[in-house]
Amino acid sequence: MTHIHPAVTNGTFDVEKVRGDFPALSLEVNGHPLTYLDNAASAQKPRQVIQRMVTAYEREYSNVHRGLHFLANAATEAFEQARESVRGFLNAASVDEIIFTRSGTGAINTVASSLGQSIQPGDEIVLSIMEHHSNIVPWHFLRERKGAVIRWAPVREDGAFDFEAFKGLLSERTKIVAITHMSNVLGTVTPIKEIAAAAHAVGARVLVDGCQAIVHMPVDVRDLDVDFYAITGHKLYAPTGVGVLYGKLDLLADMPPYEGGGEMIREVTEDDVTYGVPPHRFEAGTPPIVQAIGLGAAVEYVNSIGRERIAAHEHDLSVYAHERLGALNSLRIIGTAPGKGGIISFEMKGAHPHDVATIIDRYGVAVRAGTHCAQPLLARYGTTATCRASFALYNTRADVDRLVDALVKAQDLFA
């Protein structure tokens, strides 16, 4: 049962009440209140998630499935309830389409390894230039080991996905299309429903990296009609060590398993093995039990506030941040596509991003600096590193103001 969170009263989103749920936000850094703007890398955790995991460890812990004693049954029930929570969050048709993995990276590698077994030399895989390395390197494995050809869909100068150019890459040789739903550098939101329809028209399978999008917008995998959708827990206010792969059940049932071990088999003899059915076929070994329970709690937390309310709050914050940062003449903002999410990457003239991030940390402002695991995208914009400020449901306009004030101080230092 979903608990209606006190941060919502008569449909109004109260960000200060939300902030009260996150212990880390009360910290001070170098004598300043923590301004945490590194959410695209990993989000902070609410007490509701932390306490749910403590309860699982203290009162419900055992290995799941197969056990017949009280704690095994309690752990299994909580673990499978988390699977149902994620199913509803994605609007998947069945809990059998929800596979718990160690991360979003693990989810993508599961698909690449399994589908990759049927890849032939010359088969083509279409990616966008915006992809995170987690949605690039597994496909390079197939290029190296199976002779696959990777083709790259471009973005326009403002960071918008070039759908017409993408369609021009598709052919009967296209076997897999692997595309981010929201860029972790640009914040660009891609037209996944149209991408999936175009890919399916040439017989390709579609995997979506939803690790950023799932945090910031409602996602309906059935409406999008994607074959696979990968998410991670730690960006979604859940713990590290857990991710999810959604896959259409008929596809999962035909796919060979990614790993072998306990739980994923039906029968083992000296001469043969018979694999289990999805999702267990893809959950070899002891799964991330308490992490998955924590993910279920995070999903319920987000649902209790309302994804539309969160999206509206973050949109307002993003617009305000673009206005304030855009007024700083020393900054180059990379990525201004219409409809983008709350992620802003920027460079400061005459200063390396690492130096900028170090200076503003003195004022308690946390941003990410570096390649953001997206080197092909940064190369497209003629750079090797940027600073990135990224927003979550608990951020405020005051956070943006503190970011701008700290950047002004850094700008004066480097001038």
Side-chain angles (χ1 to χ4, degrees):
M1 179 180 297
T2 298
H3 172 65
I4 301 302
H5 192 266
V8 177
T9 304
N10 297 325
T12 301
F13 179 85
D14 188 335
V15 69
E16 291 304 324
K17 287 185 178 180
V18 169
R19 289 177 63 82
D21 288 335
F22 291 81
L25 299 184
S26 64
L27 295 173
E28 286 194 352
V29 176
N30 297 321
H32 298 271
L34 172 64
T35 302
Y36 189 79
L37 299 174
D38 194 21
N39 299 285
S42 201
Q44 298 300 325
K45 320 304 173 194
R47 286 189 178 88
Q48 290 85 340
V49 170
I50 296 167
Q51 289 304 313
R52 182 65 188 90
M53 294 176 67
V54 170
T55 298
Y57 274 123
E58 291 183 343
R59 305 181 63 86
E60 300 173 336
Y61 184 75
S62 178
N63 215 324
V64 293
H65 309 133
R66 298 186 303 281
L68 299 177
H69 56 83
F70 172 82
L71 284 177
N73 289 333
T76 299
E77 182 178 355
F79 181 75
E80 292 301 332
Q81 178 55 51
R83 197 189 304 272
E84 168 57 27
S85 295
V86 174
R87 183 212 63 76
F89 203 61
L90 293 172
N91 195 33
S94 167
V95 290
D96 294 337
E97 297 179 321
I98 302 300
I99 297 162
F100 285 123
T101 63
R102 62 176 175 80
S103 60
T105 300
I108 294 169
N109 275 272
T110 296
V111 175
S113 175
S114 188
L115 291 187
Q117 294 185 39
S118 62
I119 289 291
Q120 301 297 314
D123 285 348
E124 295 183 353
I125 301 168
V126 177
L127 313 178
S128 86
I129 201 67
M130 292 186 290
E131 301 311 310
H132 188 282
H133 293 169
S134 292
N135 201 26
I136 294 175
V137 178
W139 309 112
H140 268 302
F141 287 171
L142 299 184
R143 178 192 59 80
E144 291 175 340
R145 301 168 189 178
K146 304 285 285 187
V149 176
I150 298 177
R151 307 197 73 189
W152 297 90
V155 294
R156 300 190 180 97
E157 186 61 28
D158 67 353
F161 181 74
D162 192 332
F163 183 65
E164 292 304 315
F166 162 76
K167 287 197 299 183
L169 298 174
L170 301 175
S171 73
E172 70 280 355
R173 303 302 302 268
T174 309
K175 302 303 178 185
I176 300 168
V177 171
I179 300 285
T180 186
H181 200 170
M182 179 185 291
S183 168
N184 74 308
V185 176
L186 305 176
T188 298
V189 177
T190 54
I192 290 298
K193 190 171 184 176
E194 291 77 9
I195 288 170
H200 288 153
V202 298
R205 298 301 183 199
V206 179
L207 175 140
V208 177
D209 174 359
C211 291
Q212 296 293 339
I214 194 65
V215 183
H216 303 290
M217 55 194 285
V219 172
D220 184 333
V221 292
R222 281 191 276 181
D223 178 63
L224 296 174
D225 193 29
V226 295
D227 299 308
F228 307 98
Y229 199 94
I231 68 173
T232 193
H234 68 97
K235 301 181 196 298
L236 189 59
Y237 314 107
T240 56
V242 65
V244 170
L245 172 64
Y246 157 81
K248 290 180 178 176
L249 188 56
D250 59 334
L251 299 181
L252 294 175
D254 287 337
M255 287 166 52
Y258 172 46
E259 294 181 307
E263 184 65 18
M264 51 74 64
I265 47 82
R266 181 175 294 165
E267 185 175 3
V268 177
T269 70
E270 291 185 9
D271 301 315
D272 195 18
V273 293
T274 304
Y275 304 132
V277 297
H280 306 298
R281 174 183 296 187
F282 300 98
E283 293 181 352
T286 298
I289 299 167
V290 178
Q291 292 91 335
I293 293 170
L295 174 57
V299 164
E300 294 303 322
Y301 179 82
V302 170
N303 281 340
S304 73
I305 297 173
R307 296 164 85 178
E308 291 79 7
R309 292 186 185 96
I310 292 169
H313 169 73
E314 291 179 348
H315 173 73
D316 173 77
L317 203 57
S318 180
V319 170
Y320 180 68
H322 273 274
E323 290 174 351
R324 292 231 53 201
L325 292 172
L328 299 180
N329 293 331
S330 65
L331 296 190
R332 173 199 180 197
I333 294 176
I334 301 175
T336 57
K340 65 169 289 185
I343 296 172
I344 304 179
S345 290
F346 58 89
E347 296 176 307
M348 179 177 287
K349 294 176 183 176
H352 193 280
H354 290 167
D355 295 329
V356 174
T358 300
I359 293 300
I360 66 176
D361 178 62
R362 295 178 184 174
Y363 303 98
V365 179
V367 299
R368 182 73 32 171
T371 68
H372 317 298
C373 294
Q375 288 177 307
L377 177 62
L378 294 189
R380 182 256 181 263
Y381 284 100
T383 188
T384 57
T386 68
C387 287
R388 181 186 68 192
S390 50
F391 304 107
L393 61 86
Y394 44 64
N395 287 123
T396 65
R397 288 191 171 204
D399 289 336
V400 175
D401 293 339
R402 284 193 286 269
L403 168 65
V404 171
D405 291 345
L407 286 171
V408 169
K409 292 182 174 69
Q411 177 181 284
D412 292 342
L413 180 66
F414 292 119

